[in-house]
Amino acid sequence: MSSAVQTEQERTRVRAHRRRQSKNWSLFLLFAGPNILLILAFIYYPLFSNMYYSTLDWRLGSSSATQIGLENYAAFFTSDSGLEVWRVTAIFTAGAVLGSMILGLLIALVLNKKIPGKTAARTAVFSPYVLSGVGVAMVWNFIFDPTRGGLSHILGFFGVSSPEWYLNEDWSLFMVIIVYVWKNLATAPWSSWPDCSPSRRT
């Protein structure tokens, strides 16, 4: 076979390879392009915009802003309100994570045993995860209401008055942690155990 024929065959293979690559990229852009555009428009653009806005001194109602660099960050991390935000965030994170882990482990140990009504109990534990935020708010508003709530009646039976869950900032944080743990208990490690899925047969 002459070198000219070999060269032509090589060029043909290269052209075919480029056509396949072009076709693959076209299919990729066709299927992934809309998702990429949505992610860029609704996630990354707002993210980087917020990062830029955080370096501005922009008063409410003002039509112009002044570039101040990292002064907003310095003010936040050195102010009493900023430290309070860190304190509340740390308490919430510790309470929510530890509460979900510990309670989830205890539930896993119980629901992994042969007990009557195990399937119903698994379903009851999993059901809060699929509830809407409005449904969760209505349920716990009925429970925590200091005058007509279910918890206030139970505490009243023992002669204890209900805390002001909505007025006291410490009790409010505790209330939010309880609701968060209850709502997301189905995502705790117990739910990934093979024998602890609510859909499994007992």
Side-chain angles (χ1 to χ4, degrees):
M1 184 180 295
S2 65
S3 59
V5 174
Q6 291 178 345
T7 302
E8 183 62 28
Q9 290 179 345
E10 182 66 25
R11 291 175 179 174
T12 302
R13 285 195 296 268
V14 170
R15 287 195 294 267
H17 177 70
R18 289 177 178 176
R19 283 195 297 268
R20 287 195 299 270
Q21 281 190 326
S22 178
K23 182 179 179 180
N24 291 337
W25 275 107
S26 299
L27 289 174
F28 170 77
L29 293 176
L30 177 64
F31 291 106
N35 292 328
I36 294 175
L37 290 177
L38 289 174
I39 292 174
L40 291 175
F42 294 101
I43 295 180
Y44 288 103
Y45 175 73
L47 174 64
F48 288 109
S49 295
N50 287 335
M51 293 174 61
Y52 170 71
Y53 293 147
S54 68
T55 63
L56 302 177
D57 180 12
W58 202 343
R59 305 293 178 175
L60 183 63
S62 176
S63 60
S64 60
T66 304
Q67 179 64 243
I68 59 174
L70 300 179
E71 291 184 16
N72 287 329
Y73 291 95
F76 173 78
F77 286 109
T78 57
S79 65
D80 294 336
S81 58
L83 295 177
E84 179 66 12
V85 169
W86 282 106
R87 184 187 74 85
V88 172
T89 302
I91 295 174
F92 174 80
T93 302
V97 173
L98 292 178
S100 298
M101 296 289 290
I102 295 173
L103 189 58
L105 178 59
L106 294 176
I107 291 176
L109 294 175
V110 173
L111 297 184
N112 213 31
K113 298 181 180 296
K114 294 183 178 180
I115 57 176
K118 182 168 63 174
T119 300
R122 291 173 175 175
T123 303
V125 173
F126 182 77
S127 59
Y129 181 69
V130 298
L131 290 178
S132 66
V134 175
V136 172
M138 293 179 63
V139 169
W140 285 98
N141 183 55
F142 171 76
I143 294 174
F144 283 117
D145 189 286
T147 57
R148 297 172 296 176
L151 184 59
S152 65
H153 289 290
I154 296 175
L155 294 177
F157 180 78
F158 295 99
V160 180
S161 60
S162 176
E164 292 293 341
W165 298 98
Y166 300 101
L167 299 179
N168 185 286
E169 59 184 18
D170 293 327
W171 282 114
S172 297
L173 178 59
F174 186 59
M175 176 181 65
V176 172
I177 292 175
I178 293 175
V179 176
Y180 180 88
V181 171
W182 177 81
K183 176 72 168 66
N184 296 278
L185 191 60
T187 61
W190 76 270
S191 61
S192 62
W193 290 22
D195 192 45
C196 288
S197 173
S199 61
R200 296 272 179 168
R201 296 177 58 186
T202 56

